[in-house]
Amino acid sequence: MAAIELAGIEKRFGESHAVRGVDLAIASGEFVVILGPSGCGKSTLLRMIAGLEAVSAGTVSLDGVPMNGVEPGRRGCAMVFQNYALYPHMTVAENIGYGLRVAGVPKREREARVRSTAAMLDIETLLDRRPAALSGGQRQRVAMGRAMIRNPRVFLFDEPLSNLDAILRQQMRGEIKRLHRELRTTSVFVTHDQVEAMGMADRLVVMNAGRVEQVGPPADVFRRPASRFVAGFIGAPRMNLIDAAVTAEGTLAVGGWRPCDGLRFRAAAGRAVHLGVRPDALAPMPPAGGGPVFTADLVEDLGTEIHVHARGEGIDLILQRHADAPPIDTSFAVAIPPRAVHLFDAETGLRIEPDAAETLRQGAPAWDARRHSSI
Amino acid sequence: MTNRPRQLPVHAMMIVLSVLALFPVYWMIVTALKPETEIFSTALWPKAPSLENFGYVLEAIPMLRILWNTALMASATAAAQVLTGLLAAYALVRWPFPGVKLAQAVIGLSWLVPFQVTMIPNYVLATELGLRDTIAGLVIPNAAAAFAVIVFYNAMRSFPKEVIEAARMDGAGASRILWQIVAPNMRPALAALTVLAFISAWNEYFWPLLLTRHIENAVVQIGLEMFMSQEGNQWGPMMAAATLASLPILALYLVLHRQIIDSFMRSGLK
Ligand SMILES: Nc1ncnc2c1ncn2[C@@H]1O[C@H](COP(=O)(O)OP(=O)(O)O)[C@@H](O)[C@H]1O
Ligand SMILES: [Mg+2]
């Protein structure tokens, strides 16, 4: 178990700038998930922690000891690769025990440790097989065993579940978390799958284009996304993002529409912003007043929930409704509960918080978005 | 199975080709078995087959000694080419440096340099080093081969990088990774290259001709030459010696033929 500290980490591959200044401290025993779209530099960051890739700038430290220039095998990190990367010519037992063999552990002890590791992963019956004779899920377990056997200080996972089918993926997700509860080894888990990320992380690191966008517990990242990118990336269906402007009074204007009039923002008048609302926070209501009228043009019934894709006056929206909610009219207006509003600067993409004092003075209702959505 | 009628012409063609390929070998053996009187007969089997040609060969030249020399020379050459090829290819794949493409091109081009160009400098060097009339002198100029580097380079490039990285995470160093992880997965390429290098060394003629002074230090191709003369060739003994010279190659092929076919099939499918 070790604390990891990344300070000013950069990585360039010739012209391309894969990682652009990452500072991150991971506490000992923590399970951190790095989430981001494909190509954003997650693997590169992980490989720099492992030592498989040299940093272009910055320092990687484990327990306060700088690791730059230390060989991967001497950092005490173990890695599980996306395509498992088992040694094709070795049996499962030899695969799992190879690290111990390199370390010069005597054969007898090695065999005992291989057996007990295999027992933890339920693969004792496979020890004499070669990787080619294993299923994807079994290979995954062998790869886990190979990582576990040396009691590493840090586990690094690079999208280890993405080659598995949905059921197996869910099962392995549970198993990895169970192992983490038992072993308490500091873990860094890279994925592009937000469900995986939200479900597994103690702390979530959202990356985009080589930078960290936001760090925090998954629930916080979901409830208060720090940037438009995070808002759009996390949550399914995606958060609705509507082009809007801040008025002279600090309210929001979408064309002639003044949604959530009670909210006040301290931003320059005319400032272009994106108004974000999660699909489950939008409530349809009969068309009345000045708001735009939306027409549902696609209704997806997913069994547990219904997604309504609607458009009106150039705005596309998705509404998420409970499966047992009354059917929606073909034409409707929407109410945006003030508590459900996320506002982002159109230029910087950063979150703008409502001006709490000003909002209160205007007597905006303290509307609970979650309660509201379940109407 | 389902289109048996269409396979018939294919099989007929393969049989014809096989006969064409095998006939010279058959003729060599038959000629070796012919007594002097029958040597120019075109009968498919001698009237009075005998082993007298083989006896003559063993008396006229130290044939067993020569076969031993050749086996030693060919094994050492093949081993050296495999070793240097593995090391060079591994370095090129794992530590690509600026200009690695150029280095590869140069290695590839060296394959095209004809023997006649390097023959004289090699001869002078071998003489200076006192390697004339030695097995080492025959092996060292052929210890590294561009062909071997290229074959291993291609085989290693398609070897998954993550597996090497997994071994690095397991603490293995560069040479351990080569011998314990990479090389064991190169079996088809290793087998094919060993055989090709061995056979080509076995068939070497000019370089041994230049270097050899005494018949006890000769290799088989030089031995065969002993039965050619201005007054005419001794066909019977020559074919007997050629038969003896082919046996080890045949044995090698029988031992490794599965890997060889495997490897050729794979490179053909790429
Ligand atoms: N060895 C490399 N050489 C050149 N570019 C690379 C290399 N590895 C990664 N990159 C580039 O760096 C960026 C980040 O890659 P990566 O870390 O693999 O992304 P992710 O794992 O988030 O999908 C990508 O644009 C990729 O093309
Ligand atoms: Mg990746």
Side-chain angles (χ1 to χ4, degrees):
Chain A
M1 265 151 285
I4 306 170
E5 190 165 351
L6 307 178
I9 301 291
E10 305 251 355
K11 182 68 190 185
R12 285 193 181 76
F13 294 105
E15 290 296 291
S16 95
H17 200 168
V19 175
R20 303 165 178 245
V22 168
D23 298 288
L24 185 64
I26 297 171
S28 176
E30 209 175 8
F31 197 104
V32 165
V33 175
I34 301 181
L35 173 67
S38 161
C40 72
K42 310 179 294 287
S43 297
T44 306
L45 189 64
L46 196 73
R47 292 162 54 79
M48 286 190 287
I49 300 175
L52 293 171
E53 209 79 73
V55 298
S56 302
T59 314
V60 177
S61 311
L62 294 182
D63 277 339
V65 181
M67 284 288 148
N68 297 18
V70 176
E71 274 292 302
R74 297 183 180 280
R75 294 190 180 197
C77 301
M79 186 148 167
V80 180
F81 294 81
Q82 176 170 357
N83 44 19
Y84 320 129
L86 301 178
Y87 310 124
H89 60 297
M90 293 186 191
T91 63
V92 167
E94 288 166 338
N95 262 281
I96 296 176
Y98 187 67
L100 298 183
R101 179 174 152 200
V102 172
V105 174
K107 192 164 183 199
R108 191 174 289 259
E109 184 191 339
R110 210 160 73 206
E111 281 170 354
R113 279 171 69 179
V114 166
R115 260 195 307 279
S116 73
T117 304
M120 274 175 89
L121 291 161
D122 232 359
I123 48 174
E124 297 138 290
T125 54
L126 306 176
L127 285 176
D128 293 327
R129 292 214 207 152
R130 276 175 214 270
L134 300 178
S135 71
Q138 291 169 334
R139 286 180 205 187
Q140 175 65 60
R141 281 164 195 273
V142 177
M144 291 282 302
R146 188 172 62 178
M148 280 161 51
I149 195 161
R150 291 203 304 154
N151 301 322
R153 297 199 287 164
V154 173
F155 276 130
L156 304 171
F157 299 90
D158 192 355
E159 312 216 14
L161 308 182
S162 56
N163 289 350
L164 301 178
D165 63 54
I167 296 173
L168 214 49
R169 197 180 316 168
Q170 191 156 13
Q171 186 187 338
M172 282 310 291
R173 214 149 71 195
E175 197 139 338
I176 290 174
K177 281 301 278 181
R178 177 179 63 80
L179 286 170
H180 180 251
R181 262 201 310 277
E182 282 168 21
L183 304 171
R184 283 279 143 210
T185 307
T186 314
S187 303
V188 184
F189 188 105
V190 160
T191 179
H192 66 266
D193 179 337
Q194 53 163 310
V195 178
E196 211 164 278
M198 298 288 290
M200 297 182 82
D202 292 339
R203 215 147 53 99
L204 191 58
V205 177
V206 184
M207 276 186 78
N208 180 34
R211 289 199 178 83
V212 170
E213 291 268 339
Q214 187 170 5
V215 181
D220 288 6
V221 174
F222 183 82
R223 297 208 176 101
R224 284 193 68 242
S227 67
R228 196 192 51 187
F229 172 81
V230 178
F233 191 71
I234 292 182
R238 270 184 73 140
M239 182 188 280
N240 294 296
L241 289 161
I242 305 166
D243 292 337
V246 178
T247 64
E249 306 89 67
T251 59
L252 296 176
V254 181
W257 182 32
R258 297 276 182 282
C260 40
D261 231 359
L263 284 178
R264 292 289 183 278
F265 294 90
R266 199 174 285 162
R271 185 87 186 164
V273 291
H274 296 291
L275 163 58
V277 197
R278 297 242 178 243
D280 64 348
L282 280 176
M285 57 182 200
V293 177
F294 292 89
T295 321
D297 50 28
L298 174 64
V299 177
E300 297 172 305
D301 189 341
L302 304 185
T304 51
E305 58 194 45
I306 296 168
H307 297 172
V308 181
H309 297 250
R311 72 179 322 179
E313 295 185 17
I315 303 168
D316 288 311
L317 287 181
I318 301 178
L319 284 73
Q320 180 185 339
R321 296 171 53 75
H322 275 271
D324 47 8
I328 203 163
D329 291 335
T330 44
S331 287
F332 56 89
V334 294
I336 300 179
R339 288 279 289 269
V341 166
H342 302 266
L343 201 71
F344 304 100
D345 190 295
E347 207 172 288
T348 63
L350 294 181
R351 182 182 186 88
I352 304 173
E353 291 290 351
D355 189 329
E358 195 61 12
T359 302
L360 267 185
R361 206 165 58 79
Q362 296 294 323
W367 209 335
D368 187 313
R370 298 171 86 47
R371 189 144 39 91
H372 182 88
S373 69
S374 58
I375 289 172
Chain B
M1 285 291 155
T2 47
N3 51 3
R4 188 161 297 199
R6 275 213 281 153
Q7 284 184 349
L8 209 64
V10 175
H11 280 160
M13 174 75 89
M14 290 198 293
I15 288 169
V16 169
L17 289 176
S18 307
V19 168
L20 281 178
L22 284 176
F23 185 75
V25 178
Y26 172 75
W27 199 247
M28 169 183 80
I29 296 170
V30 167
T31 308
L33 294 174
K34 282 175 185 168
E36 186 114 34
T37 49
E38 272 189 72
I39 212 75
F40 292 113
S41 110
T42 51
L44 282 179
W45 190 251
K47 282 198 217 71
S50 85
L51 292 175
E52 70 183 62
N53 287 326
F54 289 90
Y56 178 81
V57 166
L58 294 176
E59 264 172 40
I61 58 172
M63 189 62 190
L64 294 179
R65 174 73 197 261
I66 286 175
L67 279 173
W68 169 248
N69 289 343
T70 319
L72 208 62
M73 181 274 280
S75 316
T77 305
Q81 286 190 9
V82 165
L83 185 71
T84 53
L86 272 176
L87 290 172
Y90 184 59
L92 287 173
V93 169
R94 274 212 55 192
W95 298 280
F97 47 92
V100 68
K101 281 263 168 351
L102 183 71
Q104 260 172 269
V106 169
I107 291 173
L109 283 175
S110 78
W111 188 18
L112 303 178
V113 174
F115 170 68
Q116 284 76 359
V117 174
T118 53
M119 175 172 82
I120 305 288
N122 273 349
Y123 181 76
V124 172
L125 202 57
T127 309
E128 299 272 312
L129 293 172
L131 293 175
R132 239 164 36 185
D133 225 16
T134 63
I135 301 280
L138 296 178
V139 172
I140 291 170
N142 290 321
F147 181 66
V149 179
I150 293 168
V151 167
F152 286 132
Y153 180 79
N154 286 322
M156 282 184 200
R157 220 175 27 166
S158 54
F159 187 71
K161 263 184 92 168
E162 290 82 5
V163 175
I164 291 177
E165 288 174 346
R168 288 178 68 196
M169 296 300 294
D170 267 342
S175 97
R176 190 189 278 270
I177 291 175
L178 173 60
W179 299 117
Q180 293 184 348
I181 306 292
V182 179
N185 286 295
M186 306 275 121
R187 292 259 296 274
L190 277 167
L193 203 96
T194 307
V195 169
L196 290 179
F198 186 89
I199 292 178
S200 110
W202 189 273
N203 292 337
E204 191 76 51
Y205 175 66
F206 271 113
W207 182 241
L209 185 65
L210 282 177
L211 227 58
T212 310
R213 286 288 167 278
H214 298 99
I215 190 74
E216 311 84 65
N217 298 322
V219 292
V220 284
Q221 307 304 329
I222 308 297
L224 293 187
E225 200 213 0
M226 295 296 131
F227 303 104
M228 295 158 113
S229 64
Q230 252 109 36
E231 301 90 67
N233 299 339
Q234 296 175 283
W235 287 110
M238 186 156 63
M239 288 303 133
T243 304
L244 289 175
S246 315
L247 288 178
I249 298 282
L250 203 64
L252 183 71
Y253 180 76
L254 285 180
V255 171
L256 291 177
H257 88 283
R258 222 200 61 204
Q259 274 98 330
I260 296 168
I261 290 176
D262 211 38
S263 158
F264 288 154
M265 297 265 285
R266 254 181 237 191
S267 47
L269 287 175
K270 266 190 193 142

